[in-house]
Amino acid sequence: MSTLLEQLDQLEQDALATLHNASTSEALQAWHTHYFGSKRTKGALEAMLGLLSSLDKAERPAFGKRANEVKQRLLEAFEARKAQVKEAELAAELASGQLDVTLPGRPPTMGRLHPTTLTHRRIIAIFKRMGFEVYRSPEVETDEMNFGLLNMPEHHPARDMWDTFYTTRSGVILRTHTSPGQIRVMREWGENGTRPLRVILPGMVYRYEQVTARSESQFTQIEGLVIGRNITMADLKGVFAEFARHMFGSAGQIRFRGSYFPFTEPSVEIDVYLGTDTPRARMLTKGTGWLEISGAGMVHPTVLRNGGYDPEEWSGFAFGMGPERQAMRVHGINDIRYFWQNDLRFLEQF
Ligand code: FA5
């Protein structure tokens, strides 16, 4: 017994002496591993405890108690030494001048809004000033909403106007335009066809079509819908002209051109003038000087009826505009593909 206790005393003395001499974090770690072991190795203290079984039963409690005292003492001494060494290391690092606290910090880089978001905000602000509310409708739509209820029953040839992304779920598609939102907002906010509406519906649309400098397969639209008792084509022209004045400035010219959409009658398309002075303008306008920015027209009676309004009593106009095309006119962007390529050199300019 006495020899084991002596060995324990000796271990304690040795340990305290080597701990005192350990002056780096690495040396401290090595010391700790030597006496207390690691995941893979047994420490010296534990090895000694293993000898407990070789003692007489009567001697075991005294040895166990002493071993615990040694363990506590060593752990406390280790923590104290660790704090001293850490402080000394920090002081040495500061003194060696490797850390220049006068160096300016790195400023965090600021994120910014996407040009499409900025354009949407600008367009929405203009329409809000004219008393429009904003309605959001889903990007994943039913065939019925996107086509059927907009006066394009199955097999209607006008469905070919939009090349559609179909999903694996029958009757579910990615919307090709924001117009299905017309039906949704009439049904949801129209109070069974009794409430006049003045809304815009912004959002992403998808078309399985050829990507060119003026056409993307994923882009945004802002739909507009006004329903009231005596709404006429003159209201459409007035609202759109007012919008264009704010968007493109008083020098910006727009024109209305007769067109066809199954859900409006009569229908028009609206162009903004880019001119033909530069190769870019000629390319984007196919040499005409005019870039199409919106489809529009008087809401078709069938569509009013599908939204819950009596076409004998109510009339309305609608439009569906392309914000990216307008941003191209406002900022002189010559290719629509820049919008969704995520090239920071482009995006950082806004
Ligand atoms: C439509 O999508 C109709 N829903 C618009 C409408 C709404 C008419 C309400 C009547 C009443 P169109 O396919 O022409 O129409 O698209 C409308 C606008 O979206 C275009 O004028 C153009 O500005 C923009 N646009 C169309 N296709 C693309 C494309 N591939 N890439 C970028 N912008 C596009």
Side-chain angles (χ1 to χ4, degrees):
M1 164 75 176
S2 61
T3 49
L4 260 191
L5 274 178
E6 277 163 25
Q7 281 180 34
L8 196 55
D9 288 346
Q10 190 59 47
L11 180 138
E12 182 183 19
Q13 275 172 29
D14 291 350
L16 289 173
T18 41
L19 183 64
H20 185 72
N21 290 332
S23 56
T24 63
S25 298
E26 292 77 29
L28 275 178
Q29 191 52 51
W31 179 91
H32 194 277
T33 309
H34 178 72
Y35 286 100
F36 290 96
S38 67
K39 266 188 198 148
R40 269 167 287 129
T41 60
K42 219 182 218 185
L45 195 60
E46 206 186 330
M48 187 154 285
L49 279 172
L51 301 176
L52 192 72
S53 55
S54 68
L55 289 176
D56 287 345
K57 257 202 178 140
E59 291 173 334
R60 285 182 197 172
F63 179 77
K65 185 164 172 262
R66 178 75 185 113
N68 256 333
E69 277 169 19
V70 171
K71 184 178 173 191
Q72 278 314 315
R73 175 114 195 263
L74 292 186
L75 282 177
E76 276 163 26
F78 174 75
E79 287 305 324
R81 185 70 188 138
K82 194 162 107 179
Q84 281 174 355
V85 167
K86 230 178 180 174
E87 204 167 302
E89 282 180 342
L90 182 65
E93 194 181 326
L94 287 173
S96 77
Q98 276 183 11
L99 182 71
D100 181 358
V101 290
T102 63
L103 215 61
R106 284 189 206 122
T109 43
M110 292 275 278
R112 57 187 78 221
L113 293 174
H114 191 277
T116 293
T117 308
L118 291 170
T119 310
H120 271 238
R121 289 194 175 183
R122 187 162 163 199
I123 294 173
I124 289 170
I126 296 172
F127 281 105
K128 275 196 169 166
R129 283 203 291 275
M130 290 194 265
F132 282 72
E133 300 172 88
V134 176
Y135 181 92
R136 307 242 167 216
S137 79
E139 291 175 22
V140 179
E141 260 300 3
T142 61
D143 193 89
E144 178 75 351
M145 282 280 177
N146 197 81
F147 296 117
L149 294 167
L150 292 174
N151 204 24
M152 285 174 278
E154 244 178 280
H155 309 304
H156 191 290
R159 286 189 175 209
D160 281 351
M161 287 167 77
W162 297 279
D163 296 304
T164 310
F165 283 110
Y166 291 89
T167 68
T168 46
R169 186 119 156 245
S170 162
V172 177
I173 61 166
L174 296 183
R175 67 175 172 191
T176 57
H177 53 174
T178 42
S179 299
Q182 287 186 31
I183 302 287
R184 289 183 179 275
V185 71
M186 279 192 276
R187 290 182 174 181
E188 197 176 323
W189 285 2
E191 294 170 10
N192 295 319
T194 60
R195 179 179 174 236
L197 290 179
R198 206 186 300 177
V199 287
I200 46 174
L201 306 90
M204 190 69 80
V205 302
Y206 305 85
R207 291 187 193 176
Y208 184 57
E209 68 178 40
Q210 176 85 40
V211 174
T212 67
R214 39 185 275 149
S215 296
E216 255 293 1
S217 56
Q218 175 185 339
F219 57 100
T220 66
Q221 285 190 335
I222 295 184
E223 191 87 3
L225 178 69
V226 173
I227 294 183
R229 284 206 160 76
N230 291 302
I231 304 292
T232 68
M233 196 78 177
D235 295 305
L236 166 62
K237 287 188 80 173
V239 165
F240 217 97
E242 177 68 3
F243 161 72
R245 199 169 61 78
H246 287 288
M247 192 68 190
F248 306 116
S250 45
Q253 289 179 61
I254 56 166
R255 73 173 184 190
F256 291 76
R257 214 168 11 88
S259 186
Y260 169 74
F261 294 101
F263 35 91
T264 44
E265 179 58 39
S267 303
V268 290
E269 280 179 316
I270 303 160
D271 302 332
V272 65
Y273 191 63
L274 286 192
T276 50
D277 298 347
T278 62
R280 165 190 152 258
R282 283 195 293 278
M283 187 255 300
L284 285 175
T285 64
K286 295 182 185 162
T288 65
W290 295 92
L291 179 67
E292 181 204 317
I293 54 163
S294 189
M298 299 306 293
V299 182
H300 195 284
T302 303
V303 175
L304 280 173
R305 223 175 277 119
N306 289 339
Y309 286 84
D310 178 1
E312 298 295 326
E313 199 186 328
W314 298 87
S315 59
F317 70 78
F319 56 81
M321 56 168 68
E324 283 85 9
R325 294 251 182 109
Q326 296 180 38
M328 291 169 81
R329 162 69 173 73
V330 171
H331 300 291
I333 299 163
N334 58 18
D335 197 315
I336 200 169
R337 285 168 285 203
Y338 286 125
F339 282 89
W340 306 111
Q341 272 171 348
N342 286 335
D343 186 337
L344 285 180
R345 288 169 303 180
F346 171 72
L347 297 174
E348 278 173 356
Q349 294 178 46
F350 298 89

